[in-house]
Amino acid sequence: MPTAPLPANPDAGAGPQHVAIIMDGNGRWAKARGLPRVAGHRRGADAVRRVVRGAGELGIPVLTLFAFSTENWTRPADEVADLMGLLRHYLRSELDELRKNGARLRVIGKREGLAADIVRDIAEAEGTTASNTRIDVNICINYGARDEILRATRRLAQRVAAGEITSDSIDQASFESELLTAGLPDPDLLIRTSGEQRISNFLLWQCAYSELVFVDTLWPDFGKDHLEHAIVEFRRRERRYGGIGK
Ligand code: IPE
Ligand code: IPE
Ligand code: MG
């Protein structure tokens, strides 16, 4: 049975407008099958395709996926190379699929540290999909929230030193405007797969009031039905934002 699109308005019991996912468990998926970790990452890329399509069908306006953290550089060099190779492949091979899904792709994270050809492919993919309006797909690559917050702080300090702003004028809105997610709504729902229950330096500022859903499914097995389940769980929650609720 086709699923009705989610309502556009995040009233109580509706939404979410923005779903963020920590895609975890590729290595364990491969290990359980006696396969090299890269096989898990490959299947993880297939799951990205499924979930982007599923999120579009469910009417989710913004989807943000954590693909590679600033800490993931500490993995063995061959695994990092495999992940960068898959990223290259994804950026080149998924443009058609993204277009078909009406997806606007943005890559969130530090460009420094990424190979020059990947930086070019990112710009190309972002440019080619820029006018798509059905769903915003953000992929976090070389992203770390502490790093992001430090850079925003540094940038604001520089603007104070240059006399452009006063320190007293710094507020939540001006701070947010220096984050890599400037202009995006905060995630309403944060999903982490693979049974781990931690944030691992993802969107620390932006997830202040996100509803957290942890699922045991390993990322390569995750699909539209899992996403729907997480959304059902999200809609059961009462968001209070420090108030006393209904
Ligand atoms: C998620 O899967 C992908 C990345 C973090 C790049 P993992 O590679 O972390 O898989 P596990 O946690 O070892 O199973
Ligand atoms: C978080 O997963 C980062 C991504 C999904 C890209 P990790 O597998 O790196 O997190 P830890 O090491 O278990 O906290
Ligand atoms: Mg992991």
Side-chain angles (χ1 to χ4, degrees), residues 92-132:
R92 289 174 191 172
S93 66
E94 287 306 295
L95 287 181
D96 254 7
E97 173 73 14
L98 289 165
R99 218 178 287 122
K100 262 187 244 149
N101 289 319
R104 173 167 64 176
L105 182 76
R106 268 179 292 196
V107 173
I108 294 178
K110 279 198 295 191
R111 297 295 189 266
E112 305 96 272
L114 296 176
D117 67 315
I118 291 185
V119 174
R120 268 197 309 276
D121 289 349
I122 290 172
E124 165 96 30
E126 288 182 336
T128 314
T129 62
S131 57
N132 295 339

Side-chain angles (χ1 to χ4, degrees), residues 23-29 37 41 67-68 72 75 79 83:
M23 310 185 287
D24 198 13
N26 294 352
R28 278 162 284 166
W29 185 94
R37 290 178 61 87
H41 295 314
F68 190 88
N72 288 146
R75 294 188 178 199
E79 177 160 349
L83 285 165

Side-chain angles (χ1 to χ4, degrees), residues 4-188:
L6 299 171
N9 229 339
D11 296 321
Q17 292 283 325
H18 182 177
V19 176
I21 309 182
I22 301 175
M23 310 185 287
D24 198 13
N26 294 352
R28 278 162 284 166
W29 185 94
K31 191 173 178 199
R33 287 159 181 79
L35 297 169
R37 290 178 61 87
V38 65
H41 295 314
R42 271 193 215 111
R43 294 295 286 262
D46 296 341
V48 170
R49 187 176 310 121
R50 276 199 307 275
V51 169
V52 167
R53 192 182 305 146
E57 289 164 0
L58 291 167
I60 296 169
V62 185
L63 177 71
T64 298
L65 303 171
F66 198 9
F68 190 88
S69 76
T70 46
E71 288 71 31
N72 288 146
W73 295 108
T74 62
R75 294 188 178 199
D78 59 343
E79 177 160 349
V80 171
D82 287 339
L83 285 165
M84 291 300 148
L86 278 169
L87 174 59
R88 250 184 213 104
H89 181 72
Y90 182 88
L91 289 169
R92 289 174 191 172
S93 66
E94 287 306 295
L95 287 181
D96 254 7
E97 173 73 14
L98 289 165
R99 218 178 287 122
K100 262 187 244 149
N101 289 319
R104 173 167 64 176
L105 182 76
R106 268 179 292 196
V107 173
I108 294 178
K110 279 198 295 191
R111 297 295 189 266
E112 305 96 272
L114 296 176
D117 67 315
I118 291 185
V119 174
R120 268 197 309 276
D121 289 349
I122 290 172
E124 165 96 30
E126 288 182 336
T128 314
T129 62
S131 57
N132 295 339
T133 54
R134 187 185 191 202
I135 181 170
D136 272 341
V137 176
N138 307 304
I139 304 197
C140 297
I141 293 161
N142 199 17
Y143 173 84
R146 287 185 169 182
D147 185 73
E148 175 189 36
I149 289 168
L150 275 176
R151 286 154 66 94
T153 307
R154 226 177 271 133
R155 174 88 190 110
L156 288 167
Q158 284 160 357
R159 294 185 60 198
V160 171
E164 289 170 25
I165 55 169
T166 64
S167 58
D168 286 343
S169 73
I170 297 172
D171 57 11
Q172 295 197 13
S174 62
F175 195 84
E176 275 171 8
S177 71
E178 297 294 345
L179 294 174
L180 295 167
T181 53
L184 286 175
D186 287 341
D188 303 294

